[in-house]
Amino acid sequence: MTSHYNVLIIGAGTAGLMVASQLKKKRIGSMAIIDPAETHYYQPAWTLVGAGAYNYKKTARPMKSVIPSGVDWIKEYVAQLNPEANEVITKNDTKITYDFLVVAPGLVYDFSIVEGLEEALNKKVVCSNYTDPEETWNQLQKFKGGTALFTQPPTPIKCGGAPQKIMYLAESHFQKSRIREKTNVIFATNGGVIFGVKKVAETLMNVVKRKDINLRFGHVLKKIDADNKIAWYALADNQSEHNNKPVKTQEKDGLVGIPFDFLHTAPPSVAPAFVKNSPLANESGWMKVDHKNMQSPDYSNIFGLGDVAALPTAKTGAAIRKQVPIVVDNIDNLIKNNKVGTMSYNGYSSCPLVTDYGKMVLAEFDYDNNFTPDPKLKQMLIKDSSKEHWRLWLLKKYMLPYLYWNKMLRGKAV
């Protein structure tokens, strides 16, 4: 059985739902979303869940409640993309054809990239806000001191700043629990800077200093020994250490091991197999798109956006918020005028960097890592969002979730 749609959207995450909601207002014909998930999550709040500052249940809603009315929901897994035939094939061998295709499935986790990681998570030796933020909070509450290690994989991840947000909140929790004096907080990252935007990095380095965090750059996570609680790293050329305190590291097979009592990480992330193995992918497996208009360079009726897109900017919901109107405008113009629109994406992304309970920095930037704060922040009496501010915490905890559920997913301008 084959179904045909004017516009077919793969993925009912932030990107897919926003595209569907905004396209509906253009009256472009039949539309469907392919996604097997029963639940839609507001994942940006999971950092707060992991620190005991947000209710996990409030981050979840039934998928059927967020699919726009008039848009068909195909509850299946995509198995294959056949762009030459304008066809998508599901794992149930359902064939769906389209006039226009929007590829927005997000990313998937590949635990095999870090040896032992999946076993360590299953044994609850390691935790991750990305997979189970409630377990992160459970482990933080059980922690009684020792080495608290925060790290991240060598792949792109959702919101690259998230692994350090939970660290800042955890350090504050250790202070409140009166175990900070017997805790060594370590942040080991493969990067060479704390953050790519210089103005924001300066603030974060001051936070690191204030919180007396042992910062280690150029540490590429390779494997985790769950039984002995050791994280093993390869040292990159940009290896350096800041606020260093004595840590009894180990060396084996060219790797450096850091023993831990608590470890939080983000899972290695890759594009879904049906994208990676398709003609739409680049050499790294991510979807090739024009950096300005999100169009596939090889198939003019296909667009990609969100986490799956091979764009040199951060994978965040804020980036999607700016990408969606461009994709919608292009499809609308192609249908009505047989040419793409003139809107252009400058690489805008945003990372709300929570630095404490009640404090946050908002990093907004473009392809060139220029600091580009939203002028609307002045309405909140925030002069410089590169500095910590309590009003930014209110934005993160209360305003952004409200805007997400009530504006963004409903196709309204934000």
Side-chain angles (χ1 to χ4, degrees):
M1 179 178 177
T2 302
S3 302
H4 180 83
Y5 292 92
N6 296 117
V7 178
L8 180 63
I9 301 169
I10 299 175
T14 304
L17 291 174
M18 286 185 67
V19 168
S21 295
Q22 292 188 22
L23 273 177
K24 254 193 65 180
K25 299 177 180 181
K26 303 290 185 180
R27 302 181 184 275
I28 47 79
S30 60
M31 188 166 22
I33 294 179
I34 307 177
D35 197 301
E38 288 281 353
T39 306
H40 181 90
Y41 292 97
Y42 178 63
Q43 294 183 34
W46 284 4
T47 289
L48 302 182
V49 173
Y54 204 90
N55 187 334
Y56 178 72
K57 292 180 180 178
K58 290 184 178 180
T59 71
R61 294 194 182 180
M63 186 66 80
K64 63 183 179 182
S65 72
V66 293
I67 299 285
S69 61
V71 177
D72 289 351
W73 176 21
I74 303 170
K75 291 173 62 177
E76 294 195 48
Y77 289 91
V78 173
Q80 184 180 340
L81 302 179
N82 187 2
E84 297 290 346
N86 292 329
E87 181 181 71
V88 171
I89 302 172
T90 71
K91 288 187 177 179
N92 293 333
D93 288 327
T94 303
K95 293 184 179 179
I96 309 157
T97 58
Y98 55 82
D99 296 327
F100 293 92
L101 178 67
V102 177
V103 183
L107 48 73
V108 295
Y109 301 136
D110 185 351
F111 297 100
S112 67
I113 292 175
V114 176
E115 181 185 339
L117 174 57
E118 188 167 19
E119 177 191 359
L121 285 167
N122 290 338
K123 287 183 174 181
K124 301 189 186 304
V125 173
V126 171
C127 60
S128 177
N129 279 345
Y130 287 76
T131 58
D132 189 349
E134 289 183 303
E135 177 58 22
T136 300
W137 179 231
N138 286 336
Q139 291 195 28
L140 279 175
Q141 290 176 292
K142 293 176 183 177
F143 180 70
K144 301 304 178 185
T147 297
L149 177 60
F150 298 82
T151 191
Q152 58 193 83
T155 67
I157 56 175
K158 300 177 188 178
C159 191
Q164 58 182 291
K165 298 180 205 178
I166 184 61
M167 173 180 65
Y168 300 137
L169 290 171
E171 192 277 338
S172 295
H173 172 70
F174 300 153
Q175 293 278 7
K176 292 179 182 179
S177 303
R178 298 181 180 178
I179 59 172
R180 182 64 180 95
E181 289 186 359
K182 54 182 179 179
T183 300
N184 187 8
V185 180
I186 302 174
F187 184 50
T189 174
N190 57 288
V193 292
I194 192 76
F195 202 81
V197 180
K198 186 176 180 180
K199 194 171 183 180
V200 175
E202 290 172 355
T203 297
L204 295 179
M205 288 300 286
N206 286 331
V207 173
V208 166
K209 186 175 181 180
R210 180 181 81 226
K211 290 178 173 286
D212 196 23
I213 291 170
N214 184 334
L215 178 59
R216 299 179 173 219
F217 294 127
H219 280 56
V220 184
L221 184 63
K222 290 294 185 180
K223 63 181 181 180
I224 293 175
D225 180 346
D227 293 334
N228 295 302
K229 295 183 117 178
I230 302 173
W232 291 94
Y233 296 88
L235 299 185
D237 292 338
N238 61 350
Q239 190 270 329
S240 64
E241 299 176 8
H242 302 263
N243 295 355
N244 187 36
K245 286 186 175 181
V247 177
K248 292 183 179 180
T249 58
Q250 303 179 23
E251 293 189 19
K252 183 180 179 181
D253 300 328
L255 301 178
V256 173
I258 300 178
F260 61 85
D261 300 288
F262 170 93
L263 193 156
H264 177 278
T265 189
S269 303
V270 297
F274 67 83
V275 173
K276 195 187 318 185
N277 300 327
S278 78
L280 303 181
N282 65 10
E283 293 179 356
S284 299
W286 302 99
M287 181 178 169
K288 291 182 290 184
V289 296
D290 182 285
H291 291 178
K292 292 183 178 180
N293 69 11
M294 324 308 294
Q295 186 179 38
S296 165
D298 304 309
Y299 303 93
S300 61
N301 65 331
I302 298 179
F303 293 84
L305 74 162
D307 293 350
V308 78
L311 296 168
T313 192
K315 298 180 183 299
T316 68
I320 291 168
R321 179 169 64 91
K322 297 293 186 178
Q323 295 165 12
V324 168
I326 294 168
V327 171
V328 169
D329 183 64
N330 283 330
I331 292 175
D332 185 44
N333 270 281
L334 282 167
I335 291 173
K336 296 173 181 176
N337 307 314
N338 201 31
K339 62 180 181 180
V340 295
T342 58
M343 295 178 68
S344 181
Y345 178 55
N346 69 350
Y348 173 89
S349 191
S350 170
C351 187
L353 289 151
V354 179
T355 56
D356 215 326
Y357 290 94
K359 290 182 182 180
M360 197 183 87
V361 172
L362 185 59
E364 297 178 280
F365 48 93
D366 58 18
Y367 279 136
D368 298 320
N369 278 338
N370 295 312
F371 183 56
T372 56
D374 191 328
K376 292 180 181 178
L377 290 173
K378 292 182 179 179
Q379 297 174 12
M380 294 180 63
L381 302 180
I382 297 168
K383 294 180 180 180
D384 186 356
S385 54
S386 73
K387 307 297 182 186
E388 295 174 283
H389 205 293
W390 65 269
R391 286 194 176 93
L392 289 171
W393 166 268
L394 298 180
L395 175 72
K396 169 73 175 176
K397 188 171 180 177
Y398 301 106
M399 294 177 65
L400 291 180
Y402 173 82
L403 292 173
Y404 184 79
W405 295 116
N406 297 286
K407 300 285 187 179
M408 289 172 64
L409 293 192
R410 295 184 182 182
K412 299 178 181 179
V414 178

